[in-house]
Amino acid sequence: MRIDVVTLFPDFMRQCAAVGVVGRAQQRELLQVETWNPRDFATDNYRTVDGRTCGGGPGMVMLIEPLRAALKAVREAAPEPVHVIYLSPQGARLTQDRVVSLAKMPRIALLCGRYEGVDERLLAHEVDEELSIGDYVLSGGELGAAVVIDAVGRLQDGALNDAQSAQQDSFSDGLLDCPHYTKPVHDALGDVPAVLLSGDHAAIRRWRLKQSLGRTWLRRPDLLARRNLDAESAVLLEEFRRDYLR
Ligand SMILES: NC(=O)c1ccc(NC2CCCC2)nc1
């Protein structure tokens, strides 16, 4: 998968994509992240990328021309069609379901706004989708782009080793993750749950599913409402509720 990022801070974005699982996915050529700086496409001597807001008011708006030229270069850089995403609080909330679908695309481009944002005409004609990573305002779209790169990059086939991708088990999607433990087995803070030391993998799987269901019920009932539970999950959640309310 190829991800092109249009940003005034290319070094920052390259660094975000160079570490950890995503950096390794790039080394393995499972993922390619390229950056494009609108300033390199500005036509004036001062490499201007912003203009005063029409109608008055504070702040500046990113000019159409440098962004249009940068996106043209993005499109011409590889044959596959590009799905262009703009990060902003006005976008649809990013969910894991959407991450999974984006991860299947051959190419996406991430347009990062700064200042007060981007001229609406560019958004209307050049952007396919607006996405928000949450209901808060950032000084730029780059952190949103970094979130998309990480969430999508780690899902590329081969990016995660077997243990990590086991985390993508059927029950983990749509539910909160179960608790995790490591050594020491006994600590002043408490002990590792015995079932995890039992070697009974069926019991361990059930315990983890029960914990995921219980946590989701307690912390994010909205996620649970959206999910119809299979018979096993319904029983385990009932057990969790009974234990919890005892
Ligand atoms: N919640 C978000 O995903 C988000 C994205 C971009 C942003 N700020 C950018 C948008 C235009 C200028 C700065 N703030 C918040």
Side-chain angles (χ1 to χ4, degrees), residues 168-187:
Q168 305 308 314
D169 275 0
S170 57
F171 72 74
S172 72
D173 64 11
L175 294 177
L176 300 184
D177 200 4
C178 62
H180 297 282
Y181 299 86
T182 183
K183 60 188 178 187
V185 169
H186 304 294
D187 184 274

Side-chain angles (χ1 to χ4, degrees), residues 145-167:
V147 163
V148 173
I149 291 168
D150 188 281
V152 161
R154 63 188 292 280
L155 291 186
Q156 298 304 303
D157 285 343
L160 297 176
N161 59 41
D162 293 348
Q164 289 168 306
S165 55
Q167 282 302 312

Side-chain angles (χ1 to χ4, degrees), residues 86-89 113-117 131-141 144:
Y86 178 61
L87 289 307
S88 94
R114 282 274 159 172
Y115 314 111
E116 300 310 307
L131 285 177
S132 168
I133 61 168
D135 290 336
Y136 37 80
V137 180
L138 302 168
S139 55

Side-chain angles (χ1 to χ4, degrees), residues 179-199 204 207-208 211:
H180 297 282
Y181 299 86
T182 183
K183 60 188 178 187
V185 169
H186 304 294
D187 184 274
L189 296 177
D191 296 348
V192 173
V195 65
L196 298 179
L197 310 169
S198 68
I204 291 169
W207 180 87
R208 286 176 170 160
Q211 294 301 315

Side-chain angles (χ1 to χ4, degrees), residues 91-112:
R93 286 291 296 275
L94 181 66
T95 63
Q96 190 64 20
D97 283 349
R98 187 57 184 144
V99 166
V100 168
S101 52
L102 291 172
K104 294 179 178 123
M105 293 182 177
R107 292 189 72 193
I108 62 174
L110 301 173
L111 176 60
C112 301

Side-chain angles (χ1 to χ4, degrees), residues 5 10 23 25 34 36 43-44 65 77 98 106 114 119 128 135 142 179 181 191 200 209 220 234:
V5 189
E34 300 297 340
W36 305 78
T43 48
D44 65 314
E65 195 40 48
R98 187 57 184 144
R114 282 274 159 172
D119 189 300
D128 300 308
D135 290 336
E142 281 80 10
Y181 299 86
D191 296 348
D200 179 344
L209 177 52
R220 290 291 307 277

